[in-house]
């Protein structure tokens, strides 16, 4: 448009000066008026041509994000932050409710039929003890929702993953717990089978409707976390064939980084010990036989194989808090405060249940045969959990 106006002006001036070109003075005036305008038109034309070329080059650069040997348009669409916040909240509520349902249905009379609790206090403190895992679940989902609710100007999924070192790791951990919990529900009869019974008895046996509801709750939360984890990966790691290597490298790096950066920092030492201890007890509950597998949960066969799913989540959370302490972010970032509060909630419920069982349950120790066979490990587990109650202040 500007070029057309300038050309029109030049034409008018040229016509006027041509009609008045009867003298040397008019000719001189014509040159003085037209020359600057002509130069300006040339410069404007050259500038517009350069801008068009730059825009074309910029578009070409954005298309040259090569993956797998072929060009692909880079993903710059901002993620739906508000939707993710509500999705994490809903997933946290669903997972906590599903775990609470499992705890209630597993620890009660007539599981299996005819089995009775020795006292009314016995199921109360047993449920409180394993419901301590709910604090870890809430803390983890709350940290992710907090990351998505804090003001930020992320322009891509990859930038969202980079907002906090714990974001991708917590998503991957929750995806793992979702899958593991779904599998446990699906095979609950086999896992809680009571050996030596005829016909074979089980502590837990879900009907099709209840099983579908529990698997739906755990599975939905796991799928959400898995999709976000995959979506926030760097462009060069979006290929699913590279995920096993990336996960393996990350786990290996974490294992060799369990020691604190500074042994003079008691908070680093605390979270380092909690991480290592929870990993050890997770392994014992998963692969060891009775009575070693019941040390953390105190629930015999009822939930002793399900509880390690969430002590694993606790180990990941403790490692995130250890890194946050080393980076000086523990007391600053809100998402780490959520993880820390979840860890403290876990410790409070766990130790409160143990104290209640020991001092207020009249069936102790006669009806705690598995635990009393390995009292040293039981005390070690309580001492480990006791570290969670230490303040994050140095």
């Amino acid at each position: 448009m500007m070029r057309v106006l300038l050309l029109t002006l030049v034409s008018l001036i040229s016509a006027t000066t041509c009609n008045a070109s009867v003298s040397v003075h008019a000719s001189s005036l014509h040159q003085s008026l037209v020359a600057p305008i002509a130069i300006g038109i040339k410069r404007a034309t050259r500038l517009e041509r350069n801008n068009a070329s730059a825009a074309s080059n910029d578009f070409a650069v954005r298309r040259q994000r090569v993956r797998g040997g072929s060009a692909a348009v880079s993903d710059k669409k901002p993620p739906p932050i508000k939707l993710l916040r509500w999705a994490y909240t809903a997933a946290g509520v669903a997972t906590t409710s599903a775990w609470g349902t499992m705890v209630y249905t597993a620890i009660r009379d007539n599981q299996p039929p005819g089995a009775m609790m020795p006292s009314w206090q016995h199921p109360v403190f047993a449920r409180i003890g394993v419901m301590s895992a709910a604090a870890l679940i809430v803390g983890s989902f709350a940290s992710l929702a907090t990351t998505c609710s804090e003001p930020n100007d992320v322009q891509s999924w990859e930038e969202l993953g980079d907002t906090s070192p714990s974001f991708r790791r917590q998503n991957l951990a929750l995806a793992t717990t979702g899958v593991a919990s779904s599998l446990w529900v699906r095979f609950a009869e086999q896992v809680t089978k009571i050996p030596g019974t005829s016909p074979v008895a089980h502590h837990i046996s879900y009907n099709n409707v209840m099983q579908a509801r529990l698997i739906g709750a755990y599975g939905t939360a796991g799928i959400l976390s898995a999709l976000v984890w995959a979506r926030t990966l760097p462009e060069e790691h979006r290929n699913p064939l590279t995920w096993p290597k990336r996960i393996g490298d990350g786990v290996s790096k974490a294992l060799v980084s369990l020691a604190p950066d500074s042994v003079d920092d008691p908070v680093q030492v605390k979270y380092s010990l909690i991480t290592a201890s929870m990993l050890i007890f997770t392994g014992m509950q998963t692969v060891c036989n009775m009575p070693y597998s019941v040390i953390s949960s105190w629930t015999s066969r009822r939930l002793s194989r399900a509880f390690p799913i969430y002590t694993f989540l606790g180990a990941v959370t403790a490692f995130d808090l250890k890194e946050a302490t080393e980076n000086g972010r523990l007391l600053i970032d809100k998402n780490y405060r959520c993880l820390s509060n979840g860890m403290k909630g876990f410790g409070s419920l766990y130790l409160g249940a143990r104290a209640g069982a020991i001092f207020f349950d009249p069936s102790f120790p006669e009806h705690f045969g598995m635990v009393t066979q390995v009292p040293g490990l039981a005390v070690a587990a309580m001492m480990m959990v006791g570290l969670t109650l230490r303040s994050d202040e140095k």
Side-chain angles (χ1 to χ4, degrees), residues 308-358:
I309 297 173
Y310 295 102
T311 53
F312 164 76
L313 179 61
V316 176
T317 297
F319 185 81
D320 281 335
L321 293 171
K322 169 188 167 292
E323 281 196 340
T325 306
E326 295 170 348
N327 298 330
R329 309 302 303 176
L330 179 62
L331 301 177
I332 299 175
D333 294 351
K334 292 182 180 179
N335 62 312
Y336 290 120
R337 301 316 307 150
C338 293
L339 294 177
S340 177
N341 291 335
M343 187 65 70
K344 288 183 173 63
F346 166 79
S348 299
L349 289 173
Y350 186 94
L351 294 177
R354 299 297 172 263
I358 293 171

Side-chain angles (χ1 to χ4, degrees), residues 99 102-103 128-134 136 184 278 281-282 285-286 293-299 302-313 346 350 354 385:
W99 178 249
M102 283 175 52
V103 170
I128 293 174
V130 287
M131 276 305 294
S132 60
L136 297 173
W184 192 92
M278 282 199 169
F281 282 108
T282 297
Q285 294 174 98
T286 304
S293 61
V294 304
I295 294 305
S296 297
S297 65
W298 285 34
T299 59
R302 297 175 187 267
L303 291 172
S304 60
R305 301 298 188 185
F307 199 63
I309 297 173
Y310 295 102
T311 53
F312 164 76
L313 179 61
F346 166 79
Y350 186 94
R354 299 297 172 263
V385 176

Side-chain angles (χ1 to χ4, degrees), residues 224-269:
L224 169 67
S225 300
L227 289 176
V228 174
W229 175 80
R231 200 76 170 85
T232 57
L233 288 176
E235 191 76 17
E236 61 272 16
H237 293 291
R238 297 281 178 85
N239 186 348
L241 296 178
T242 67
W243 295 351
K245 177 179 179 297
R246 179 180 176 84
I247 294 173
D249 290 347
V251 171
S252 300
K253 179 181 178 182
L255 289 176
V256 299
S257 304
L258 289 178
D261 276 356
S262 173
V263 294
D264 295 324
D265 187 334
V267 182
Q268 290 186 32
V269 173

